[in-house]
Amino acid sequence: MGKKNISLLIPAYNEAGNISALIQEITTALAACQRYEFTVLFVDDGSTDNTLSILQEAAVPDFPIRVIKLSRNFGKEMALTAGLQSLNCDAVIILDSDLQHPPKYIPQLLEKWQEGYDIVSTTRQKIDDQSWTRRIGSRLFYSILNTISEFKMEPGTTDFRLLDRVVIDALKKFTERNRLFRGLIDWMGFQKTTIKFDAPARLSGQQRYSYSRLFRLALNGFMSFSLMPLKLAGYLGVSVILIFGGLLTFMLVDKFGSNAFGFSNIAFIIVSNVIMNGVVLGCIGLVA
Ligand code: UDP
Ligand code: MG
């Protein structure tokens, strides 16, 4: 039987300062995994520095290096999606190009895969250079997501993972454009296990995700994995109907009774209109 094919999938956006050190560390890590055949696939996510030319010229004797170039910067989630679509291997290991997902853990990921797991995830025990705002933001994201969504995502999980071919094939069937990759993987099921690792500081450059991009990513996560926002609209609708329905009843009783308040016709129209809006919101909740 031939050796199993493993691909490393690595998104890169303006990572010129990290590529050669990364390839070096991968070479060292893979030297300990002689029973597998490796291909390293970089996805250049529309870099504006010389990442692409460094990648195209990179060559090592131990494994082939392939490069996919995206036509512009699409973001990491889409870069991973593009890379996965082009894979035909027994398993893929996804890692970042800034060395925050240290290649030295690759043998451990492969060991777990050999034990029969389809997904081997990783959780960070500590991150060397994470600011307190990002740390709090990350905690907040997981606690909100885990409160409102139908499934649980473990805090601290990363995209540094191994996926078996069955998982890759399942992932290829998803067509969402706005996706939270690791959320999708967690949602899908399969046999999974997790290993822990320490994330060092980024080797070179700044984090590529600004706060506004992280916020959008979080919002995508909430909307993809929870019906709660739609259900909230429904609850709001029901509350509006109850409160303003009560008010309208009171106004009608007053008008045809003592007429102490003397509500004008405009007041009736406005209150009826608000109730109709409540009905629309309530229907959205029903659809959800
Ligand atoms: N990345 C990408 N496209 C982007 C932003 C980031 O391909 O638009 C890559 C980046 O090159 C790195 C990985 O995604 O390999 C993680 O990015 P970063 O280190 O900025 O994120 P963090 O460490 O905060 O998760
Ligand atoms: Mg990073």
Side-chain angles (χ1 to χ4, degrees):
M1 221 170 74
K3 287 182 175 179
K4 294 224 161 128
N5 287 312
I6 313 293
S7 293
L8 304 196
L9 172 57
I10 311 175
Y13 176 51
N14 293 346
E15 301 284 9
N18 292 320
I19 301 295
S20 48
L22 175 67
I23 293 178
Q24 185 99 51
E25 285 210 15
I26 291 175
T27 310
T28 312
L30 300 192
C33 312
Q34 294 293 339
R35 29 191 305 223
Y36 306 101
E37 195 104 46
F38 290 95
T39 302
V40 175
L41 171 62
F42 282 96
V43 181
D44 174 63
D45 186 16
S47 297
T48 49
D49 65 359
N50 54 343
T51 299
L52 184 65
S53 57
I54 293 176
L55 288 174
Q56 284 167 338
E57 281 158 23
V60 284
D62 306 33
F63 47 83
I65 296 176
R66 281 177 55 210
V67 184
I68 293 178
K69 175 192 178 310
L70 301 190
S71 55
R72 66 166 170 87
N73 177 238
F74 283 91
K76 180 179 172 182
E77 312 295 312
M78 287 309 278
L80 290 178
T81 305
L84 268 192
Q85 290 297 339
S86 81
L87 291 180
N88 181 16
C89 54
D90 295 304
V92 64
I93 296 171
I94 300 170
L95 61 155
D96 284 356
S97 37
D98 57 1
L99 287 152
Q100 287 201 286
H101 297 163
K104 66 178 180 198
Y105 291 96
I106 290 175
Q108 274 187 54
L109 292 171
L110 288 165
E111 242 169 63
K112 289 286 174 194
W113 178 55
Q114 286 297 298
E115 285 174 22
Y117 292 102
D118 301 316
I119 300 174
V120 188
S121 310
T122 61
T123 49
R124 289 181 293 217
Q125 308 202 92
K126 74 178 177 49
I127 317 173
D128 278 351
D129 71 340
Q130 201 183 36
S131 65
W132 66 270
T133 39
R134 278 183 195 248
R135 204 168 14 237
I136 290 178
S138 164
R139 285 214 192 125
L140 202 66
F141 168 73
Y142 282 110
S143 60
I144 295 178
L145 189 75
N146 285 336
T147 310
I148 66 176
S149 88
E150 288 80 27
F151 82 106
K152 302 287 166 240
M153 239 172 114
E154 204 182 319
T157 48
T158 72
D159 287 318
F160 185 24
R161 323 183 151 203
L162 178 148
L163 310 176
D164 184 87
R165 177 193 280 275
V166 289
V167 183
I168 302 171
D169 289 343
L171 268 174
K172 282 182 182 173
K173 294 186 185 137
F174 285 91
T175 54
E176 279 107 326
R177 203 143 39 102
N178 290 327
R179 51 170 72 186
L180 181 64
F181 211 79
R182 62 194 111 117
L184 264 187
I185 296 172
D186 282 346
W187 176 83
M188 285 196 310
F190 293 109
Q191 285 281 17
K192 27 183 172 189
T193 187
T194 304
I195 65 165
K196 292 193 164 47
F197 79 104
D198 292 327
R202 183 174 240 290
L203 183 68
S204 153
Q206 296 291 316
Q207 275 171 325
R208 303 294 179 250
Y209 272 92
S210 60
Y211 284 102
S212 67
R213 278 182 87 179
L214 282 175
F215 182 74
R216 263 181 284 148
L217 192 65
L219 218 57
N220 276 338
F222 297 149
M223 292 196 292
S224 315
F225 295 109
S226 171
L227 289 177
M228 192 57 103
L230 288 174
K231 282 185 186 160
L232 275 181
Y235 294 137
L236 184 67
V238 172
S239 316
V240 167
I241 294 170
L242 289 178
I243 293 168
F244 285 84
L247 179 61
L248 186 65
T249 315
F250 173 76
M251 287 163 70
L252 285 170
V253 170
D254 179 71
K255 188 176 174 71
F256 294 108
S258 62
N259 203 11
F261 288 88
F263 292 110
S264 67
N265 289 341
I266 291 284
F268 279 95
I269 293 171
I270 290 173
V271 173
S272 312
N273 210 352
V274 173
I275 293 174
M276 283 317 293
N277 284 334
V279 171
V280 172
L281 280 176
C283 289
I284 290 177
L286 273 182
V287 172

